Amino acid sequence: MQAWQFTNTNEPLVLNDVPEPEAAPGAVVIDIKAAGLCHSDVGLMQDAGWLETLAFRPITIGHEVAGVVSEVGEGVTDWSVGDRVAVCPTTPAGAPGYVTNGGFSHKMTIDQQALVRIPDDVGFIEAATATDAGMTSYHALTKGGEIGEGDKIGIIGLGGLGQIAARAAVLKGAEVYVAEVNEKAWELGEEIGIHGISKSILDFKEKGLDKVIDYAGFGETTADAIEAVKIGGVVVLVGMGKLEANISTIRMILSQVTLIGSNGGTPQDVADIMDLYATGGLKPKLTIIGFDDIPQGIDDLKHHRIVGRLVAKIAD
């Protein structure tokens, strides 16, 4: 079978012929139906700092995976051939695309502990977004305290993660303000029900933001979040657009800002997001491409040409 594989920083993905995986004890093989593309894929392609996260090379990347179980290994009792599953990338089984071969192919194998059942009312494309974008965005909302009615929340980045978080915060009754450099996404913000949108979170500094969640993580966005949040406020850093940031320590100290990192989530977060999808209250904006378009899709993400979450449809 074919797989898009990463070889080295600043080198293009290579379409290689690779052997089909087999299910080891405790693991399953998944026929991949959909695989999400993420800004961390962009980071991997251009920043050598990501190399230490890879177990081997070449490696099939793609850490947002949904599909159907096609083989079960010895000792697997809770899953059967034909089950519709998504893969949580933050379990001890290891992250697809980093520790194991990932989703930019037609089949993959993973330990059963990483599996999350897909509800009947959720499609494979949506389920793929729940495994990282949904899980990560939902998990970050609770960092530094739950969001409640009337809270003033800043969201930086209205991409795959930010749009889900913004809508979830609106559903919780928060007053939500969004910073998004891509003006093509501003209409989406209005559809979600936010209170304001601009290119910089600094434009909402006077709103008294209780919490700012940075889903972009491009260094300056984190610095701006610290400047924009109210005295005693919380900044949650999620995005890894860049792996370093220069921030104002004097602003953190004088304003008593709490800066928290949020990484991933849990299989329960994945399940909770898919339950929200199933209700119809949360419908992420999606851009869908084919398997052959994955390298171009990563380039489109790099240059901010994508609105919403980008997902490759691997098979029907």
Side-chain angles (χ1 to χ4, degrees):
M1 67 178 184
Q2 291 187 312
W4 287 108
Q5 295 198 304
F6 173 87
T7 58
N8 204 0
T9 309
N10 295 317
E11 295 291 337
L13 292 181
V14 178
L15 186 60
N16 284 331
D17 289 319
V18 299
E20 293 192 7
E22 297 180 355
V28 304
V29 172
I30 299 171
D31 287 352
I32 300 169
K33 301 296 185 181
L37 285 75
C38 178
H39 274 285
S40 58
D41 297 322
V42 176
L44 173 65
M45 297 296 295
Q46 62 186 21
D47 189 335
W50 285 87
L51 294 178
E52 65 184 52
T53 68
L54 303 180
F56 53 87
R57 288 185 282 158
I59 188 169
T60 304
I61 62 171
H63 56 277
E64 302 182 355
V65 185
V68 176
V69 174
S70 58
E71 180 186 342
V72 297
E74 180 183 353
V76 175
T77 57
D78 295 334
W79 304 94
S80 302
V81 171
D83 285 345
R84 301 169 72 246
V85 297
V87 178
C88 178
T90 56
T91 72
Y98 296 94
V99 178
T100 68
N101 282 314
F104 294 167
S105 187
H106 300 280
K107 292 177 181 285
M108 65 169 286
T109 184
I110 195 76
D111 191 273
Q112 62 183 329
Q113 65 185 304
L115 301 180
V116 179
R117 202 173 302 276
I118 301 175
D120 291 340
D121 294 332
V122 177
F124 292 113
I125 297 290
E126 292 78 12
T129 71
T131 62
D132 183 15
M135 171 192 70
T136 302
S137 60
Y138 188 77
H139 188 74
L141 284 177
T142 66
K143 288 286 187 175
E146 292 281 350
I147 289 175
E149 189 77 30
D151 287 347
K152 295 182 179 181
I153 304 300
I155 300 288
I156 300 179
L158 200 63
L161 277 72
Q163 60 158 315
I164 296 172
R167 179 58 181 166
V170 167
L171 292 173
K172 288 175 176 286
E175 190 174 309
V176 180
Y177 298 90
V178 172
E180 171 55 59
V181 296
N182 182 4
E183 293 185 29
K184 294 180 181 178
W186 287 15
E187 184 177 346
L188 172 61
E190 296 175 2
E191 295 172 5
I192 288 172
I194 64 174
H195 283 68
I197 190 166
S198 181
K199 289 189 174 182
S200 173
I201 199 66
L202 293 174
D203 293 334
F204 304 114
K205 185 174 181 178
E206 304 306 316
K207 298 294 183 180
L209 300 175
D210 298 293
K211 180 187 291 187
V212 177
I213 308 173
D214 184 2
Y215 289 101
F218 282 101
E220 67 272 12
T221 57
T222 308
D224 288 349
I226 291 169
E227 293 285 346
V229 75
K230 74 176 188 180
I231 293 176
V234 174
V235 173
V236 182
L237 177 57
V238 185
M240 293 190 289
K242 290 185 179 179
L243 302 184
E244 295 179 346
N246 290 321
I247 61 175
S248 172
T249 53
I250 189 171
R251 180 54 53 203
M252 283 192 66
I253 294 166
L254 295 181
S255 295
Q256 301 182 72
V257 174
T258 299
L259 176 61
I260 304 173
S262 183
N263 179 27
T266 67
Q268 187 59 54
D269 291 324
V270 178
D272 288 345
I273 278 291
M274 286 199 285
D275 285 343
L276 285 176
Y277 287 176
T279 67
L282 182 57
K283 297 180 179 179
K285 177 72 174 179
L286 303 173
T287 297
I288 302 171
I289 61 174
F291 175 78
D292 293 339
D293 304 319
I294 286 173
Q296 181 61 51
I298 292 176
D299 188 69
D300 287 341
L301 279 178
K302 176 181 177 180
H303 292 96
H304 306 287
R305 293 190 285 260
I306 300 298
V307 174
R309 196 63 174 178
L310 182 61
V311 184
K313 181 178 180 182
I314 307 298
D316 293 325

